[in-house]
Amino acid sequence: MSGSIAASITSLVLLAPMMALSQSPLAELVSTEPQPIQNAPQSSPQTQSPTPGPPQTPLPDAPGAKVIDPNEPILRQTPRIMGVLPNFTAVDSNIRLPRLTTREKFVVAMHDSVDYSSFLLVAALAGKGLYSNAMPSLGTGPAGYGRYYWREFADQVSGTFFTEAIYPTLTHEDPRYYTLGKNGWFKRTTYAITRTVVTENDRGTNEFNLSEIGGNASEAALSNLYYPASERGFANTATNFATQTVITAAANVLKEFWPDIRKGLFQGKNK
């Protein structure tokens, strides 16, 4: 991708929190679906000494979401941003989900790759490349657009599977984005940007985000197989890797503030 794309996407880092701050306060209704962990009521006769019951906290593999703090609001994510940008890996704030199995990681990556919003995004990127004549060797007109399109699609699918399925399976990392949703716009923005290099593993602890960094590097290297010779080589691969990393950071900021923006624009409707 060209440097102009990176510059455009980078501007979202500033625009997203500004748009969020211009909307109403962050408080949102807590859905009745995920429930906070509560101790089950126990009735033991006074003539008997209490016996320990089964653990109340579900096992890591148990289905169902859990509210982290019942006193905190939940900021809701939607499957798509503005109906056109894939957002399937974003998790509501104040929610803890069970870890993903290997199969589930690949299902998430597949869903991200073939959802209609993904094709719309690829179409827009291909159109931008054709309009700006980013790679003259790909030609112009409908044929040129097709050459841009399938390469953009290959970039997206390979990058998605590397970062959301293949690497997370090998490193036992969680490819989802957990919305912070509190502590002010500066901390939330910082948190979102740093998620490109820090992520949760399947045990729920933080570690270096090898899935994102390694996945972006692998996608950039793989693109040497199908881009024109003028777009190959170490320098172009490094630029592609850096662009993808910047786009990821900006996309994380947009995900973090999307519930606030959505609340102001659509009054909480799913879009």
Side-chain angles (χ1 to χ4, degrees):
M1 295 182 183
S2 65
S4 60
I5 298 179
S8 301
I9 296 295
T10 304
S11 64
L12 288 175
V13 173
L14 296 177
L15 290 178
M18 290 178 183
M19 291 175 67
L21 287 173
S22 67
Q23 310 302 333
S24 54
L26 297 181
E28 288 216 358
L29 295 177
V30 177
S31 171
T32 57
E33 295 177 0
Q35 297 295 331
I37 304 170
Q38 297 179 349
N39 291 327
Q42 297 184 6
S43 59
S44 57
Q46 294 185 359
T47 56
Q48 275 187 331
S49 59
T51 56
Q56 299 301 315
T57 304
L59 296 174
D61 290 333
K66 296 182 293 185
V67 175
I68 298 172
D69 185 351
N71 298 317
E72 288 285 339
I74 295 177
L75 301 185
R76 295 290 174 192
Q77 293 284 355
T78 57
R80 302 169 191 88
I81 296 175
M82 298 295 292
V84 295
L85 295 177
N87 194 37
F88 298 102
T89 57
V91 179
D92 298 344
S93 69
N94 197 28
I95 292 294
R96 176 57 50 196
L97 297 179
R99 72 174 179 86
L100 294 172
T101 64
T102 296
R103 179 182 178 278
E104 288 170 337
K105 291 174 182 178
F106 277 86
V107 168
V108 169
M110 177 62 72
H111 198 176
D112 248 349
S113 298
V114 301
D115 184 73
Y116 78 85
S117 57
S118 299
F119 290 102
L120 293 176
L121 180 60
V122 169
L125 293 173
K128 184 181 186 305
L130 181 68
Y131 178 78
S132 63
N133 198 26
M135 287 174 273
S137 59
L138 296 184
T140 58
Y145 180 78
R147 298 185 191 102
Y148 278 101
Y149 189 95
W150 77 257
R151 286 172 172 83
E152 291 286 357
F153 184 75
D155 283 348
Q156 176 174 294
V157 172
S158 63
T160 298
F161 272 89
F162 277 132
T163 59
E164 296 181 10
I166 298 173
Y167 272 88
T169 297
L170 297 175
T171 61
H172 302 286
E173 291 176 345
D174 192 335
R176 295 171 292 194
Y177 177 82
Y178 283 88
T179 307
L180 181 61
K182 60 181 181 179
N183 298 333
W185 73 269
F186 180 78
K187 188 165 185 178
R188 291 175 67 186
T189 302
T190 304
Y191 166 85
I193 294 173
T194 58
R195 290 301 97 182
T196 57
V197 292
V198 179
T199 191
E200 290 192 8
N201 54 36
D202 290 341
R203 299 185 303 276
T205 57
N206 288 333
E207 66 180 36
F208 177 72
N209 196 348
L210 185 59
S211 296
E212 189 64 48
I213 300 302
N216 286 340
S218 296
E219 182 273 324
L222 183 65
S223 66
N224 284 287
L225 297 179
Y226 51 83
Y227 272 96
S230 60
E231 300 297 321
R232 301 174 191 169
F234 178 79
N236 286 314
T237 300
T239 299
N240 190 1
F241 165 74
T243 301
Q244 292 300 325
T245 304
V246 170
I247 290 174
T248 299
N252 285 346
V253 174
L254 185 57
K255 289 177 182 180
E256 176 65 33
F257 290 98
W258 169 238
D260 310 286
I261 297 170
R262 178 174 65 92
K263 181 183 178 183
L265 294 178
F266 304 109
Q267 289 77 47
K269 295 179 182 179
N270 289 335
K271 290 289 180 182

